[in-house]
Structures are given as structure tokens and as C-alpha cells.
Amino acid sequence: IHRFNPDGTVQDGRRDTYDQAFVLLALAWLHKAGGFDDARAWADRTLDFMDARLADRRHGGFVEDTSGSAPRRANPHMHMLEAMLAWYDATGETGFLDRAEAMVELFDARFFDAAAGTVREFFADDWTPLSDDPAHTAVEPGHHYEWAWLLLRFADRRSRPGLEDKARVLFATARAFGHHPATGAVADTMRPDGAGQSATARCWPQTEALKAAIALEKRGVSGATALRRQMIDVLFDHYLAQPVSGGWVDA
């Protein structure tokens, strides 16, 4: 379910694809860590539910939730890719890598805008990109970095022509246009042409930029080392420099 109260009663009973992806990611790490014997059974149960109630057999991918709410988003599928890679790493079973590849195929076919070098975020039911609202056409630099990191992780496990090049394109787009000039922080959103950065810059896009920079640095990509150093400075200067030990500020 989407949300519950402190006493365990249901507050919001939606079954959301984004939520299920994170359940699967957590279960993969529980399985890998050991000590929770039911992790695999719960993962299989969750995948069975998604296949039966959330999978879109006509257009591909998954619907947002069991109510069929719109618009459809790339983001839950990105996290499904992450979860399936985690399960593959935990088990070595190629079925999980096949499921991960289905998300990569959706990225190739629907999410990646090769002309702009960006990731589209919002879609109609048939995966037609939405363009009627500026909020629907905005792109997220943090997701560009996150997709780049995940695509490279997949490429390390199964060869797919052109995939690393696309990861590099997303990295370059976010690196060139996605950072606030004054602070170096990654903006939450921008327009596909790189203009119109949001004034806000949450913490999570900074960590995604750091992850992508480390992954691309290992591949010798120009600018990755400098970005890695920059993001460590940004995180400690603006997000971690506060009095609560082990805590952070979100923006």
C-alpha cells in the first residue's frame, strides 16, 4: 500500500508502481545481507502482483497504479531497473537481468530524446510524450545522472550496442546545463533546451551526480573527475554542514 498510519491501519491503499520498485530494491538487499529468509518469496509475490495488476501488455512497462491514474512517468521504470539489477547481483539469475533489460528497452524506445540529449519524464497512456503543460515537458538533471549510472551498471552486466554512449550523452547534458552557476548544485528541473533552471536544488540530485561522476571517471570520461570533486564540495558546503550528526538538509 502507499501509506499507513502509526497504528498500522491503512491511510492510502493505492498500489503504486514506484512503491513496488522500492519494495523490490529493499528485498534484494535483505536477501543479499541474509537473515530474512522470506525476502525472495516476498519479491516473487510482489513481481507476480505487478505482472497481474500493473503491467501494460499493450504499450509496455507498467501503469502508475491499479487505478490507472495519469500521467505515466519514466521514473518508476528507472527504479524498477535499479531493483532488477540489485536482484541480479544478489542471485545471478538471468531472469532478473531480462526484466532489467525490458526497462532499458523502454528507455531506448520512449524515454530517451536523442535530439535533445535528455530524458522525457511524463507521458500519455500510449507513451506519447506530454507537451500541453510546461511541468510535463520539464526534465530533471538528477534523473539524467541517475539514468546514466544505471545504464552503465546494466552495460557492465550485459552488452547492448550504443548504451554507454547514451549514458555519456545524459551525463554531458546534465553537466553542461543542469547546475546552478552560483553554487554548483544540481537544479531540480530545467527545460529540455537547458534553459529555465528551477531555483530549487534538493539533496538527492547532488548524490546522483556524484554517483554518475564516479562511474564515468572509471571510464576515463573528460570532466568526470572534476565533477566528482565538485559534488563532494557541494554536498559538504550546502547539505551536510549543519549541527545534527549524521543528518542533512534537503535543499
Side-chain angles (χ1 to χ4, degrees):
I1 62 171
H2 185 60
R3 193 174 285 134
F4 61 88
N5 297 306
D7 64 1
T9 57
V10 176
Q11 185 182 111
D12 186 338
R14 278 181 295 157
R15 269 65 168 182
D16 179 278
T17 293
Y18 181 93
D19 293 344
Q20 311 312 313
F22 276 103
V23 168
L24 288 164
L25 179 62
L27 288 168
W29 280 99
L30 280 171
H31 181 78
K32 189 173 183 178
F36 186 65
D37 295 339
D38 291 336
R40 177 58 187 270
W42 277 96
D44 289 341
R45 178 180 175 181
T46 303
L47 285 168
D48 288 345
F49 172 80
M50 294 182 72
D51 290 342
R53 298 287 304 279
L54 295 168
D56 184 347
R57 304 297 182 189
R58 181 178 180 186
H59 301 296
F62 299 94
V63 296
E64 283 293 304
D65 57 45
T66 51
S67 71
S69 64
R72 300 184 75 172
R73 296 179 298 156
N75 195 30
H77 298 81
M78 180 182 71
H79 290 296
M80 189 65 178
L81 169 59
E82 182 180 21
M84 293 301 94
L85 287 173
W87 268 107
Y88 175 70
D89 289 348
T91 65
E93 295 179 20
T94 57
F96 291 116
L97 198 58
D98 293 340
R99 284 182 176 271
E101 187 162 20
M103 299 299 99
V104 173
E105 290 172 351
L106 201 57
F107 165 85
D108 273 339
R110 300 296 187 179
F111 305 155
F112 183 60
D113 183 346
T118 60
V119 177
R120 302 182 184 98
E121 295 282 352
F122 297 99
F123 303 84
D125 287 342
D126 63 355
W127 290 119
T128 302
L130 295 180
S131 59
D132 58 339
D133 184 333
H136 290 159
T137 56
V139 298
E140 301 191 25
H143 282 164
H144 285 55
Y145 284 128
E146 194 167 4
W147 271 109
W149 176 69
L150 286 167
L151 294 174
L152 292 172
R153 288 189 64 208
F154 180 85
D156 285 341
R157 290 152 179 80
R158 179 176 287 176
S159 177
R160 187 177 176 90
L163 193 61
E164 183 169 331
D165 291 340
K166 291 170 184 174
R168 290 171 181 247
V169 167
L170 296 181
F171 179 84
T173 298
R175 180 76 180 91
F177 302 109
H179 292 253
H180 287 161
T183 64
V186 182
D188 289 341
T189 62
M190 64 185 187
R191 293 199 296 268
D193 64 1
Q197 284 184 353
S198 64
T200 54
R202 294 186 63 190
C203 186
W204 72 262
Q206 321 313 315
T207 63
E208 299 303 338
L210 179 58
K211 284 157 59 176
I214 292 170
L216 270 297
E217 184 179 17
K218 291 178 179 178
R219 287 166 167 79
V221 171
S222 176
T225 300
L227 181 62
R228 187 250 303 163
R229 292 170 177 163
Q230 173 186 324
M231 297 319 302
I232 291 172
D233 288 343
V234 166
L235 281 162
F236 278 94
D237 290 346
H238 300 285
Y239 298 88
L240 303 176
Q242 46 86 50
V244 179
S245 179
W248 68 92
V249 294
D250 189 42

